[in-house]
């Protein structure tokens, strides 16, 4: 049994009230670690709900509380973590690099999962300066732009086995889910549906930043009788939306570091047709859980092929590789390796001191 | 002679290539401290220019380099400051609170100037958590929302005595300078000019965030033949623009923590008509360097009165209270007090240890 601290960003509650992929993954991980018998403490906002011990570090999630700059709340939380650090075997951080300066002397028991894209130069000075802090990538592809940073491993996300039930039958439409934004390429999804002559249901929110893009590029395409924009859907409707689809389209045009919605579709038994981009090659097994494509033409062909894929096989691919339990076991293996290295290092020091 | 480190934000070079009030003030302060004979080291971006010793902590200012999130670059810089900390008597930070966690053990020689508004709740957890870190406000009014934070003093900004020459004659228009934004209230400036029957020249930039406000609220008002929108002006034109005005209007509607443009106008000998709001009561001496008003009616009356104010008297008010030399001397006084307290504290400890 390990004494584990999970340190969450304070942007959203754990689990989040609305959106928040990172907080959702932290929630699943924390529950799965508790299920595996570990002693887990969660540093997160006060409106979080967990089977672990909760240390509330802000009244509520900061975004919905209207706090724009989260840094002060985070460094105040990190101060609490630091004061409690000797109560833990492992400190697992999900706050990018903000803890590096104050935890470098404890680097041997710190692990940091990077949840975001790393192709922008903004974060690099932190990885270059605090090289003793060990990182975890959520896909191998995510590491590309910072390949020389100090990675301890890749742990793909997982979700609870029973969160999205297997849907044996599927249906007669293509699904697009997420955000309407240029890098998610809903325009490609619409073109694929038209050329395949198949219905497309779009369940997506439109962030304020993407309103102009929606109006200029996407809204004019929604007239097509094949295309049905159903707006934003909640978690409760997601299983039915994904489970009722022939295939999910994931025609992204940016280095998506993981892409939770792919494994959500797989959990429902729905194959995923994804652009070969970012993490998709690591998630999709072509011909088993979906298809990887480079062009709209290939995607149209994949829509056809998806109809003859075994939905039970898609579900099996999910269960084999993308459950929260598998994710938790992967992390425990990394925790144990870290502790082992630390013990070796200490033992080495003792030997030298004894001479 | 003190060994002083100035730690600048990396957003802009010191001095800034374009905008950047904070970096401009740090430049003036650093030059004035060097002039007073101190040994000053400036931690700033590599394209900075200073009479002090420069430690370049980023290639160029981050904003113009397209870096959006400055935090990683800042914590990498703070690591360099920390490694050099024992070479300095005083570490003077201009990066809000980001250094608090790693410099708290050196709090006795750290001083932090807050350059921004403090009426938003975002920063408060940092001030509440790291109470040993001593702060400097740039106006007493700035402290209002965080009155219980640990302030060592207020130091009003100052600018080099010869930066903006005294303009004996003034002219026949009102000046508005800065940004077109709702909190700067250019609409009020236009109303004042209309009711006073006087020309208004508006020298202001329009940030992307304010484009909609400009189009909806301000552009329709620019038809008035009394109003002349001259767009954005550079530093070179500022002295003539301010010096040629009858009065400068500063009709703000937000808690402006200082308002450099007020003392720039005063340096030119141009009286300032300011709303009683934020720092203005601390900067303007009514009837000497300008007028404080609460309504457009009062502002119109002040336009009249401004014509009979002595411009030499306005300049004298600037020279008495708002030069960079005065600012530097104020800071040195705070540095020395800090060092004195630290010495007393150390001496106290020694006495106890000796018993």
């Amino acid at each position: 049994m390990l004494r584990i601290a999970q340190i969450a960003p304070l942007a959203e509650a754990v689990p989040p009230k609305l959106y928040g992929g990172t907080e959702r993954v932290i929630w699943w991980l924390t529950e799965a670690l508790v299920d595996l018998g570990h002693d887990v403490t969660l540093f997160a906002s006060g409106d979080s709900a967990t089977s672990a011990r909760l240390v509330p570090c802000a009244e509520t999630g900061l975004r919905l509380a209207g706090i724009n700059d989260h840094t002060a709340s985070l460094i105040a939380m990190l101060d609490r973590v630091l004061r409690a650090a000797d109560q833990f075997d492992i400190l697992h951080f999900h706050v990018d690099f903000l803890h590096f300066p104050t935890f470098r002397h404890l680097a041997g028991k710190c692990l940091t999962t990077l949840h975001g894209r790393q192709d922008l130069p903004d974060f690099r000075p932190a990885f270059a300066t605090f090289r003793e802090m060990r990182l975890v990538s959520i896909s191998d592809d995510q590491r590309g732009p910072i390949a020389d940073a100090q990675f301890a491993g890749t742990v793909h996300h997982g979700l609870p086995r029973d969160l999205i039930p297997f849907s044996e039958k599927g249906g007669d439409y293509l699904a697009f889910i997420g955000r309407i934004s240029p890098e998610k390429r809903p325009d490609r999804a619409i073109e694929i549906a038209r050329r395949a002559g198949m219905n497309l249901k779009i369940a997506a929110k439109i962030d304020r930043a993407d309103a102009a893009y929606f109006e200029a590029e996407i809204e004019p395409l929604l007239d097509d009788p094949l295309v049905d924009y159903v707006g934003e859907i909640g978690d409760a409707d997601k299983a039915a939306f994904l489970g009722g689809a022939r295939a999910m389209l994931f025609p992204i045009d940016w280095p998506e570091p993981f892409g939770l919605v792919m494994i959500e579709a797989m959990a429902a038994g729905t194959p995923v047709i994804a652009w070969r981009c970012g993490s998709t090659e690591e998630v999709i097994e072509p011909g088993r859980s979906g298809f990887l494509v480079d062009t709209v033409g290939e995607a149209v062909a994949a829509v056809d092929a998806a109809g003859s894929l075994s939905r039970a096989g898609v579900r099996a691919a999910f269960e084999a590789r993308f459950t929260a339990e598998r994710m938790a076991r992967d992390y425990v293996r990394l925790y144990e390796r870290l502790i082992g290295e630390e013990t070796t290092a200490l033992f080495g020091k003792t030997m030298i001191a004894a001479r």
Side-chain angles (χ1 to χ4, degrees), chain A residues 91-93 99-100 106-114 130-137 149-153 334 337-339 341-342:
Chain A
L91 304 169
H92 187 171
F93 294 92
H99 55 294
F100 287 2
L106 299 173
K109 62 180 191 180
C110 292
L111 205 62
T112 301
T113 295
L114 299 179
F130 301 93
R131 295 199 56 82
E132 61 273 68
M133 304 305 288
R134 261 158 295 186
L135 309 173
V136 178
S137 42
Q150 167 89 315
F151 281 100
L334 286 183
R337 201 195 322 154
L338 209 59
I339 293 166
E341 283 170 14
E342 184 72 346

Side-chain angles (χ1 to χ4, degrees), chain A residues 20 27 33-34 81 83 87 100 103 136 142 150 153 168 194 197 210 233 241-242 330 332:
Chain A
W27 185 47
L33 289 169
V34 170
V81 177
R83 287 169 196 278
Q87 299 165 25
F100 287 2
F103 286 87
V136 178
Q142 184 196 27
Q150 167 89 315
E168 213 177 317
R194 280 176 166 171
D210 295 314
I233 61 170
F241 179 78
L242 289 171
D330 279 358
V332 169

Side-chain angles (χ1 to χ4, degrees), chain A residues 141 250 252-256 274-281 292-293:
Chain A
D141 185 81
F250 199 62
I252 55 165
D253 204 3
W254 75 293
E256 178 108 31
W275 245 247
R276 202 183 305 276
C277 183
S279 64
T280 62
E281 283 189 280
L292 295 164
V293 302

Side-chain angles (χ1 to χ4, degrees), chain A residues 6 8 13-16 20-33 42 92 94 113 115 138 155-160 258-260 263-264 324 327-328 331:
Chain A
Q6 293 292 335
V14 176
T22 299
E23 286 82 357
R24 194 162 276 127
V25 168
I26 295 168
W27 185 47
W28 295 331
L29 172 61
T30 300
E31 296 300 307
L33 289 169
L42 175 65
H92 187 171
H94 303 269
T113 295
H115 286 267
I138 59 174
V155 178
H156 288 140
H157 290 333
L159 47 89
F258 185 76
L260 274 178
I263 64 172
E264 289 173 333
M327 167 171 67
Y331 274 116

